[in-house]
Amino acid sequence: MPLSGKRILLGVTGGIAAYKTAHLIRLLIKEGAEVKVIMTTSALSFIAPLTLATLSKGAVYHAFFDKNTGEWTNHVELGNWADLMVIAPLSANTLAKMAVGQSDNLLLCTYLSCTCPVLVAPAMDLDMYQHPAVRQNLATLRQHGIEVMEAATGELASGLSGQGRMPEPEDILSAVFTFFRPSGSPLTGKKIMITAGPTREAMDPVRYISNHSSGKMGISLAEKAAERGAQVTLILGPSSLNARHPSIQTIPVSTAIEMYEQAKKSHAQSDIAIFTAAVSDYRPESPSSEKIKKKDDKLSLTLVKNPDIARNLGQEKKPGQVHVGFALETDEGSGSASNKLKTKNFDFIVLNSLLDPEAGFQKDTNQVTFIDKTGKSQKSQVLKKEELASKILDKIEVFFQTTEPQENR
Ligand code: PMT
């Protein structure tokens, strides 16, 4: 179990999302962690300590002194016990106190005295979350070395909708995994640029040319890479999906040209570039500024070539950089994929063919053939996109496991 023997101190502050910590504790325990809980007084109004004590199979602390026994809760000991302190949900009030070092409750004293890493998952109403004071406090925490997850977007307890929800317990668990990932993944600290999703090319203000890419494959790669400690820049075409890991910076784009501009910016600093995006090869030459009216039986549209992002950046590839491409084909495709591998200067290419029923656009699964520069090819089983992402990253890791230049680069 990935969290076996890991000691996690969970701080719960007052907010409706406190009820979700019951699920978070279950997830942590299921992964083998030992969990102790500290609650602020206002958290007690949102979830019963007995619930959290039962699920964590341990004591739940909230006061310095137990009135019945007269015993003192030693916050220094609690802080020393933990391998990681997680504060979820983190209210605006506790956030402000953490930022200035206030210590008027057990949770804050423990926070100030603990020496382990700290991960926080803020939750508050959307306007509070955007308030400059709150943004400043979050930035202060980051400066203090705290791992701050961004709040999730969606329905809020106030009835409003926006950014302010506590990240889902599953997402907090992924962030916890990152802390305990065995060090030594060659991807730790590496900068990875990933293009993902479709692009949209306007015909007029109403219509566009695009494709069926959902962004799932690229987002899975981004999340798995972040879990291995990489700093990921995800350049994502229009998608209803989000990457959630705190080490992923998502840059939303719409057109191929926008994707290219952003990719050029991050490519020079990247150790690895993965080209998952389904980029429109062509765009309308002169998009109409007004909606094109229905007139004749036929409508001709002149298309011009978009920049080939992978090919252009392949020409700028520096020694030591690794480039991985995808090829989407509607036939068996190994000939075209091998050709793309060469012309785009990839280190290896991941071929998916729409002939395989479990492969390609929008599905949760994929089935691919890996082709490397020596011409060696290997077809995978049907895999979940997350599992395939891990396999691709395992292959990339091999390029960084030796200091000798790779024959294949
Ligand atoms: O997003 P999902 O719904 O999960 O679907 C995943 C996927 C099917 C989109 C993905 O697995 C995939 O195959 N991505 C590549 C799709 C594609 O455009 O393939 P291609 O054979 O046309 O392009 C070859 C390579 O060049 C790709 O790495 C592509 O990103 C890149 N390219 C292509 C054209 C262009 N103008 N710029 C590029 O960078």
Side-chain angles (χ1 to χ4, degrees), residues 195 197 212-217 275-281 306-311 325-329 340 344 346 352 360-363 366 385:
T195 67
H212 300 291
S213 172
S214 62
K216 267 182 205 168
M217 190 66 245
F275 300 90
T276 325
V279 185
S280 300
D281 287 324
N306 266 327
D308 189 320
I309 304 169
R311 188 179 179 135
F326 273 71
L328 178 71
E329 308 296 344
K340 287 173 190 175
K344 302 193 189 209
F346 293 139
N352 38 194
F361 292 127
Q362 304 204 342
K363 305 217 162 63
N366 210 345
K385 281 185 174 161

